[in-house]
Amino acid sequence: MAPPIAPHTIDLTINGTAHRLDVAPWTTLLDLLREDLKLTGTKKGCDHGQCGACTVLVDGKRVNSCLTLAVMKDGATVTTVEGLARNGQLHPVQEAFIARDAFQCGYCTPGQLCSAVGLMAEGHAHSAEEIRELMSGNLCRCGAYANIVAAVQDALAAQSTQREAAE
Amino acid sequence: MNRFGYTRAGSVAEAIQAFAAHPDARFIAGGTNLVDLMKYDVETPDHLVDITRLPLDQVEDGTDGALRVGALVGNADLAYDRRVQERFPLLASALLAGASPQLRNMATTGGNLLQRTRCHYFYDPATPCNKREPGTGCPAIQGVNRNHAILGTSERCIATHPSDLCVALAALEATVLVTGPNGDRRIPFAEFHRLPDDRPEIDTTLAPGELITAVEIPAADFGAHHTYLKLRDRHSYAFALVSVAAGLAMDGGRIVRARLALGGVAHKPWRDPAAEALLSGQPATDDSFRKAADHLLSGAVPRSGNGFKIALARRAIVRALRQAAAGTPQSQTDKRIQ
């Protein structure tokens, strides 16, 4: 038997809170969030990077947490669906999902929301067509796509109105 | 996943050294393919060497309009890089045709080159596979092979290479820069990936312990005469059944020089300089395009489930050359094929 492999100590800022954590090299960010930190908003769908249910933001970029080894993200800032609302105020994307009824069973929703927030920060989606293409990493088995596209469109429109007002 | 040790490399030399210190180590960067394969027990490394902190994440201008892309430049960062969008739109298009936005945020340039096949049998350790376990056989040859290769196959393996980026890099005649225990090497793109022959377990000509540091892309002079046409079962987020990267240097209605590479049809991006030569000096007509397509596909061998790929590839080549000649590259957003 090979000697046991020692855990690695890493620092992560998750939804604004600093954590010092001991992780085994094979622990995915998804399992760390769900099992160790009880942040079960992030969902395990396929666990192979094919469905997008596990999407979170790492240093502001949307990634599949199921294919991310936590040990590699030492020092990173992570935002999960639990961290999207600020001071009791839902994120505009969350508001838009409710207004547009952009979900049915809700299982893909945390991933859709984090993905949409990432998409808005990237700034490459403008038309419905571009939203469809750039949200294609998030599958919805209920088929709520039409309303998801509408919700993301609303959130993008609100974002540009806000930007214009700030200028 | 199996249990493994972990080293975070602080320098290229440290990475090479850490790799050599373990009998079955792997370098890891984006992890989008390696971690997935580890979850299926297809890859069972005893040690991972994390290279994400190495200073290989820059896109730099080289000499004569060339671009030097660090191995750790992310697929999304590369696709939206202003220089790539302006000077290498074929590359940007191929990148945006691949994977999903999340995966493109994670995946790196070097890692994209080292993707393994998505053959179902390769992914399933319950089945034999010459690529996974040499000498056990290839169930795809008599089995489910709709996604498999039609060109350059062997009796041991009919797997395809899954990358879109690599098809563009083949057409652009990139060079892969590597370093390793025996120093630095430059590998022309056409010689980087290999055909399966009797060693399908070996995907590339990288030596054990060698690390990709950058990809160099020489200036392309196609102007608007390029396209990346990808055909697949879904409109987005699926591997290619057939893809075509085309670039044409044009003089009016006449083709001066052509570059043509196919994806989804072979163990490596498929190029045939003789097919490209057939287009030189020819008028940009369907007749010229068909001759080049027939030549490219002349050695194609259909299997039970993938014979359709030959006709599909032929039509895709003609369509892609038409798009390139007209200067109307395929949009990766509007999925209609003009």
Side-chain angles (χ1 to χ4, degrees):
Chain A
M1 275 287 284
I5 291 159
H8 293 250
T9 303
I10 61 167
D11 290 310
L12 287 178
T13 302
I14 302 168
N15 299 333
T17 305
H19 294 265
R20 177 153 290 184
L21 302 155
D22 289 332
V23 296
W26 47 87
T27 304
T28 62
L29 179 58
L30 174 61
D31 286 342
L32 178 74
L33 291 169
R34 287 184 58 85
E35 306 300 331
D36 295 10
L37 298 167
K38 306 300 174 196
L39 290 168
T40 54
T42 305
K43 297 295 184 250
K44 184 180 278 195
C46 70
D47 206 23
H48 288 282
Q50 296 174 5
C51 77
C54 68
T55 303
V56 299
L57 301 159
V58 174
D59 294 329
K61 285 187 179 179
R62 48 178 165 160
V63 301
N64 302 95
S65 63
C66 73
L67 294 181
T68 303
L69 296 178
V71 68
M72 293 175 66
K73 295 299 165 190
D74 187 16
T77 297
V78 179
T79 305
T80 69
V81 69
E82 290 93 340
L84 293 181
R86 291 280 157 82
N87 307 320
Q89 187 74 39
L90 290 181
H91 188 282
V93 171
Q94 291 172 307
E95 299 277 14
F97 267 62
I98 293 169
R100 288 285 186 170
D101 194 18
F103 43 84
Q104 289 185 41
C105 83
Y107 198 80
C108 74
T109 310
Q112 301 277 3
L113 291 168
C114 287
S115 193
V117 172
L119 170 144
M120 288 170 70
E122 288 158 14
H124 304 301
H126 308 285
S127 63
E129 212 163 46
E130 286 167 334
I131 292 169
R132 268 193 287 275
E133 172 62 19
L134 295 174
M135 288 295 288
S136 68
N138 294 83
L139 305 190
C140 169
R141 295 331 306 172
C142 303
Y145 294 115
N147 292 2
I148 292 170
V149 171
V152 177
Q153 251 177 322
D154 285 357
L156 277 169
Q159 185 189 42
S160 58
T161 310
Q162 228 172 25
R163 278 190 186 158
E164 277 161 25
E167 274 165 14
Chain B
M1 261 189 273
N2 67 298
R3 309 289 90 147
F4 53 86
Y6 171 83
T7 301
R8 186 177 301 141
S11 68
V12 171
E14 212 177 288
I16 304 289
Q17 210 173 7
F19 188 98
H22 301 275
D24 203 15
R26 299 284 185 282
F27 294 117
I28 185 164
T32 55
N33 191 207
L34 180 58
V35 174
D36 191 31
L37 289 167
M38 286 164 66
K39 289 187 176 192
Y40 284 110
D41 289 330
V42 174
E43 292 276 6
T44 53
D46 67 340
H47 203 86
L48 290 185
V49 180
D50 178 354
I51 59 168
T52 55
R53 316 275 166 140
L54 304 186
L56 304 173
D57 61 346
Q58 298 297 311
V59 181
E60 291 162 322
D61 281 309
T63 48
D64 299 327
L67 207 62
R68 187 189 162 109
V69 182
L72 293 174
V73 175
N75 288 180
D77 290 336
L78 186 59
Y80 294 112
D81 185 282
R82 190 180 42 79
R83 289 159 292 183
V84 173
Q85 296 248 318
E86 286 171 9
R87 286 156 44 198
F88 301 92
L90 171 59
L91 186 69
S93 185
L95 279 161
L96 294 175
S100 70
Q102 289 93 320
L103 291 169
R104 292 196 291 267
N105 279 343
M106 302 168 72
T108 62
T109 303
N112 194 307
L113 270 56
L114 296 174
Q115 280 185 82
R116 316 268 348 241
T117 185
R118 284 349 191 253
C119 171
H120 314 300
Y121 300 102
F122 174 69
Y123 254 78
D124 182 358
T127 65
C129 169
N130 286 327
K131 187 181 277 299
R132 183 168 26 77
E133 279 179 75
T136 55
C138 174
I141 290 174
Q142 302 294 331
V144 177
N145 50 35
R146 183 170 183 275
N147 296 329
H148 288 69
I150 51 173
L151 288 162
T153 57
S154 76
E155 283 317 301
R156 304 229 175 149
C157 181
I158 59 169
T160 57
H161 193 262
S163 169
D164 292 296
L165 168 63
C166 289
V167 183
L169 289 175
L172 291 164
E173 294 194 332
T175 301
V176 185
L177 278 60
V178 308
T179 189
N182 299 316
D184 299 345
R185 286 203 295 151
R186 297 170 60 89
I187 308 173
F189 208 80
E191 293 165 26
F192 184 78
H193 295 101
R194 56 185 297 287
L195 291 176
D197 55 51
D198 58 351
R199 299 295 302 276
E201 71 276 19
I202 308 173
D203 292 348
T204 71
T205 54
L206 271 186
E210 277 187 321
L211 177 71
I212 299 174
T213 53
V215 174
E216 239 174 53
I217 310 160
D221 56 356
F222 311 134
H225 298 293
H226 65 87
T227 197
Y228 187 72
L229 178 61
K230 179 178 181 179
L231 304 177
R232 45 189 152 172
D233 285 333
R234 295 191 296 257
H235 270 173
S236 189
Y237 202 8
F239 291 101
L241 291 166
V242 171
S243 71
V244 185
L248 298 174
M250 300 282 295
D251 181 12
R254 201 163 284 277
I255 298 163
V256 179
R257 201 162 37 75
R259 298 268 185 81
L260 201 50
L262 303 182
V265 295
H267 199 256
K268 60 187 283 186
W270 191 262
R271 257 189 90 190
D272 182 347
E276 294 169 16
L278 279 179
L279 288 164
S280 294
Q282 297 303 307
T285 59
D286 280 6
D287 191 46
S288 309
F289 302 157
R290 277 190 212 108
K291 280 181 190 149
D294 287 341
H295 192 91
L296 250 178
L297 297 165
S298 54
V301 177
R303 307 283 168 173
S304 57
N306 69 357
F308 75 98
K309 279 193 177 186
I310 299 176
L312 188 68
R314 186 169 186 269
R315 290 197 292 267
I317 293 164
V318 171
R319 193 68 76 96
L321 287 169
R322 230 187 260 164
Q323 292 181 338
T328 53
Q330 176 64 42
S331 162
Q332 300 304 347
T333 303
D334 179 348
K335 303 295 179 170
R336 280 168 298 190
I337 298 168
Q338 303 293 337

